[in-house]
Amino acid sequence: MMRRLRKITPFQVALVTSFTALAAFMSLPIIFILNHAFKPQNELFLFPPRFLVQNPTMRNLESLLLHASNATVPFTRYLFNSIIVAGLTLACVILVSTMAGYVLAKHKFHFKQLVLALITLSLMFAPETVGIPRYLIISGLGINNTYLGHILPALASPVAVFMLVGFISQIPGEVLEAAKIDGASQVGIFTRMVLPLSMPAIATISIFTFQGVWGDVETSTLFMQEETMRTMAFYVNSLLSGLQNSVAGQNMAAAAALLIFVPNLIIFLLFQRRVLETMVHSGIK
């Protein structure tokens, strides 16, 4: 232990101290959201405002749940819809994007470069620009007010495919050829080799996909006319828009912000280690 301490240079000490201070500074918004949701009504409007809660209370969450219970659709229905939609969308996006990335990266076929160019071109368009075509497709298929209507618009993810194509391209072709010689099928190569080696990229697209779906209000607004098929993000957004000028409702707004934020934080903490892994480490394992 003493030998290791002697090997530490002043530069390393300064570097660790700087990054620790930076990490502490960047964690301040997270600490504020967590504290803000449990502040009583009188602490929400203190001046100067307090960063940390002095008298934590669960009344904000109780007010939010009671407010939702008085509505025609209970809060648990919105939460259930969000969990189902986020889970199914995440699984489908990973499966479709990984298969597409594998085919585009390791197989040859006609118009392959054109497909890659179109995927790259689609990265330039904001989601709002395809809102009308999506609505026409969903309405034409007759899947309004269904879970499929939530999942289908997010199924085609150019960012996920683009990332996986670049990641899977780094897998040595000799490894896949050796598996073919050993008698492995394309499905076996995909499930036993491509998927495990692509876990860092899959973890990254999982974070992006979950954050996009969990906080999405466009699908519930445009494609869902029945209130029972809308998600928690839509409910929270409509609640916050109605409470913007309401002093009495700021406690519910703080609790709602926490409910939207916590799942994103959990998903990031679960997958962040995978995101930092490199392709070399995955191949060695």
Side-chain angles (χ1 to χ4, degrees), residues 131-184:
I132 294 177
R134 282 180 176 177
Y135 177 79
L136 295 176
I137 293 173
I138 297 298
S139 299
L141 294 175
I143 55 176
N144 296 78
N145 301 313
T146 63
Y147 288 119
L148 184 59
H150 279 284
I151 298 171
L152 190 62
L155 196 58
S157 178
V159 176
V161 176
F162 181 80
M163 184 179 300
L164 283 165
V165 168
F167 205 88
I168 296 175
S169 297
Q170 301 178 45
I171 299 177
E174 293 79 5
V175 176
L176 304 182
E177 289 296 330
K180 291 180 183 178
I181 294 174
D182 290 340

Side-chain angles (χ1 to χ4, degrees), residues 10-284:
F11 174 76
Q12 292 175 325
V13 174
L15 191 63
V16 172
T17 304
S18 301
F19 279 110
T20 303
L22 181 61
F25 176 76
M26 296 183 68
S27 64
L28 291 179
I30 300 176
I31 298 173
F32 177 79
I33 292 176
L34 295 175
N35 281 268
H36 196 65
F38 297 100
K39 288 180 179 179
Q41 191 78 14
N42 60 330
E43 289 189 30
L44 290 173
F45 298 97
L46 283 179
F47 186 83
R50 292 178 180 175
F51 194 82
L52 300 176
V53 59
Q54 301 297 318
N55 301 300
T57 179
M58 296 293 293
R59 188 173 296 275
N60 296 343
L61 292 173
E62 294 175 2
S63 300
L64 178 62
L65 295 177
L66 289 175
H67 183 274
S69 64
N70 296 328
T72 55
V73 179
F75 177 79
T76 52
R77 177 66 186 187
Y78 295 109
L79 180 61
F80 175 78
N81 289 341
S82 292
I83 294 174
I84 293 297
V85 170
L88 292 177
T89 303
L90 185 59
C92 292
V93 168
I94 290 175
L95 180 62
V96 172
S97 300
T98 309
M99 290 192 297
Y102 172 55
V103 172
L104 291 171
K106 293 299 182 182
H107 289 266
K108 296 181 180 180
F109 54 90
H110 295 294
F111 307 111
K112 174 181 175 179
Q113 297 302 322
L114 177 61
V115 174
L116 289 172
L118 290 175
I119 292 174
T120 306
L121 182 65
S122 63
L123 297 173
M124 301 172 56
F125 294 93
E128 292 77 11
T129 59
V130 294
I132 294 177
R134 282 180 176 177
Y135 177 79
L136 295 176
I137 293 173
I138 297 298
S139 299
L141 294 175
I143 55 176
N144 296 78
N145 301 313
T146 63
Y147 288 119
L148 184 59
H150 279 284
I151 298 171
L152 190 62
L155 196 58
S157 178
V159 176
V161 176
F162 181 80
M163 184 179 300
L164 283 165
V165 168
F167 205 88
I168 296 175
S169 297
Q170 301 178 45
I171 299 177
E174 293 79 5
V175 176
L176 304 182
E177 289 296 330
K180 291 180 183 178
I181 294 174
D182 290 340
S185 62
Q186 290 293 341
V187 176
I189 294 173
F190 176 73
T191 56
R192 296 182 182 181
M193 301 187 68
V194 175
L195 282 180
L197 293 174
S198 303
M199 283 308 298
I202 292 175
T204 303
I205 66 174
S206 297
I207 294 174
F208 293 154
T209 302
F210 182 85
Q211 289 179 344
V213 175
W214 186 259
D216 178 52
V217 298
E218 177 185 354
T219 305
S220 297
T221 304
L222 297 180
F223 309 143
M224 305 297 144
Q225 287 75 43
E226 295 181 5
E227 195 68 24
T228 55
M229 290 304 301
R230 288 171 170 167
T231 60
M232 187 176 70
F234 174 85
Y235 170 74
V236 170
N237 184 71
S238 60
L239 177 66
L240 295 180
S241 62
L243 296 176
Q244 287 180 355
N245 298 320
S246 173
V247 175
Q250 293 307 307
N251 58 339
M252 290 187 291
L258 179 65
L259 292 178
I260 290 295
F261 171 74
V262 167
N264 290 318
L265 178 63
I266 294 174
I267 291 296
F268 176 78
L269 293 177
L270 289 176
F271 291 109
Q272 58 91 18
R273 182 173 297 180
R274 281 289 189 178
V275 173
L276 298 177
E277 289 181 357
T278 62
M279 186 63 190
V280 176
H281 291 152
S282 298
I284 292 174

